[in-house]
Amino acid sequence: MNSPELSTESIRERAAPSPVAAGDHVGRLAAVARYYDESWFDYRVIWQNSENRALHFGVWYPGTKSHGESLLNMNREVAGSIDIKPGMRVLDAGCGVGGSSMWLAENYDVSVVGITVAERQVEMARKFAQERGLEKRVSFELADFTNTKFPDGSFDIVWAQESACHAEDKAAFLREAFRVLRPGGQLVVEDWFRVTRDLPARQEKLLIDWVNCWAIPDLSTGDEFAVAARACGFDGTTIRDLSMFVRPSLARLYRLGVASYPFWAVVHRLGLRSAHAQANLRGAILQWRALNQRLWFDAIFTATRPNSDG
């Protein structure tokens, strides 16, 4: 990389988001909501646009010409991993400001319910859907994807794009996804997974420092996630590593983080930028360091609820 390097010490702040105690589910939901509320400026300015409204990473193929195109490529990769048919009902679990929900409705003629724990995201998603004339095909609600109020078997697809990682108990997310899916329904998760549970102490600290910056308690390994899914009753589990195609998106985020961090650190010290927002930039730098040490990977996980649960 050509970007100037920042030392670990130089990206430590005097103020940082308060840690959430293990097992404090309510506190965890509040921390996630606050992270997205206070990082919205960064996402809006340097990441998503009015076409995609995406908060996720992008996929770069040979010939991909822009960051915006890469974000839509990721949607296509996730959708192409399952069998989506017109008229299906989709739960977008952790919908952000509705980018993927709207894209699915426009491109696959499905109805989508998006849920998020951030009230501000619900408000923005509804506004964006109305601007695109999609308010009758997509809806957005404030809800916890580990404990929704939807009836059993409400959806044909549960779609989770870089959101399940926020759950402290990934099995709770998987159990709820299984419950709300109809028999034969499909789960698709695009997310980040640690390479192993047994990292050397220094690398473990780097990985946890990174994910904590983004209100994520920890990452599952791919095997852990698959085992938990099968324990819930899912079958046909698959996981496909996308890291080589996502790497340019991660590099872009790193360069932006390194270039802008010193300026925003001063703004933060002046009390004009929150600890959560500054931690978001710190995470942009640390994710790349962790990736280059091969501590994690980006992948698409799929599973199916059997037609018969017997």
Side-chain angles (χ1 to χ4, degrees):
M1 303 301 303
N2 294 324
S3 302
E5 186 62 37
L6 292 177
S7 70
T8 300
E9 290 298 324
S10 71
I11 58 172
R12 284 187 181 150
E13 292 304 317
R14 298 172 187 171
S18 300
V20 179
D24 181 2
H25 186 64
V26 173
R28 175 72 54 198
L29 298 181
V32 172
R34 188 175 181 188
Y35 163 74
Y36 282 107
D37 285 349
E38 296 187 12
S39 301
W40 171 241
F41 175 83
D42 295 357
Y43 280 108
R44 180 171 60 84
V45 171
I46 70 171
W47 208 251
Q48 56 102 30
N49 60 39
S50 60
E51 179 184 8
N52 56 65
R53 299 294 181 192
L55 307 184
H56 54 72
F57 290 140
V59 165
W60 287 78
Y61 305 119
T64 299
K65 296 180 175 61
S66 70
H67 169 64
E69 182 182 348
S70 78
L71 300 178
L72 296 179
N73 285 344
M74 177 64 89
N75 287 351
R76 297 183 188 103
E77 279 291 329
V78 179
S81 299
I82 52 175
D83 183 18
I84 308 180
K85 296 177 180 177
M88 283 185 166
R89 192 164 188 248
V90 180
L91 176 64
D92 187 355
C95 63
V97 296
S100 295
S101 298
M102 294 185 289
W103 182 86
L104 283 165
E106 290 172 333
N107 289 274
Y108 285 90
D109 193 22
V110 293
S111 63
V112 187
V113 179
I115 59 173
T116 172
V117 296
E119 187 171 3
R120 187 181 178 197
Q121 287 188 333
V122 173
E123 295 169 355
M124 287 188 288
R126 289 172 176 169
K127 173 178 175 288
F128 296 148
Q130 186 174 25
E131 290 173 352
R132 287 161 75 156
L134 292 171
E135 63 270 29
K136 293 184 179 179
R137 299 166 62 189
V138 298
S139 63
F140 300 98
E141 301 180 16
L142 189 68
D144 170 9
F145 59 39
T146 69
N147 184 25
T148 73
K149 306 304 179 186
F150 302 115
D152 293 356
S154 296
F155 297 94
D156 300 290
I157 293 169
V158 172
W159 170 293
Q161 204 164 3
E162 298 179 19
S163 57
C165 54
H166 287 292
E168 182 174 20
D169 183 357
K170 272 59 169 181
F173 159 75
L174 290 163
R175 287 192 297 270
E176 186 67 356
F178 187 90
R179 184 187 70 80
V180 301
L181 279 171
R182 296 169 182 148
Q186 303 165 87
L187 169 68
V188 61
V189 175
E190 182 264 313
D191 220 324
W192 317 319
F193 299 89
R194 57 162 64 228
V195 170
T196 179
R197 179 59 53 191
D198 300 316
L199 291 172
R202 186 171 180 178
Q203 292 183 320
E204 180 70 17
K205 183 179 186 305
L206 171 59
L207 181 73
I208 296 300
D209 281 354
W210 158 46
V211 298
N212 286 177
C213 285
W214 290 352
I216 298 167
D218 194 1
L219 301 180
S220 296
T221 67
D223 286 345
E224 288 170 347
F225 203 78
V227 167
R230 290 192 289 269
C232 295
F234 284 106
D235 65 12
T237 59
T238 70
I239 189 163
R240 180 164 57 96
D241 189 343
L242 289 180
S243 299
M244 69 175 291
F245 300 108
V246 177
R247 191 175 178 87
S249 189
L250 307 177
R252 177 183 185 274
L253 181 61
Y254 170 77
R255 290 192 300 269
L256 288 167
V258 168
S260 62
Y261 195 91
F263 170 78
W264 288 115
V266 172
V267 175
H268 169 57
R269 292 190 184 104
L270 292 174
L272 302 175
R273 180 174 169 87
S274 76
H276 284 79
Q278 195 61 13
N280 184 43
L281 277 184
R282 183 170 182 257
I285 297 169
L286 296 181
Q287 60 82 21
W288 182 252
R289 295 179 182 173
L291 182 76
N292 284 335
Q293 294 184 38
R294 299 184 180 180
L295 308 186
W296 69 281
F297 62 101
D298 189 298
I300 295 176
F301 174 90
T302 63
T304 303
R305 175 170 178 165
N307 279 308
S308 172
D309 298 330

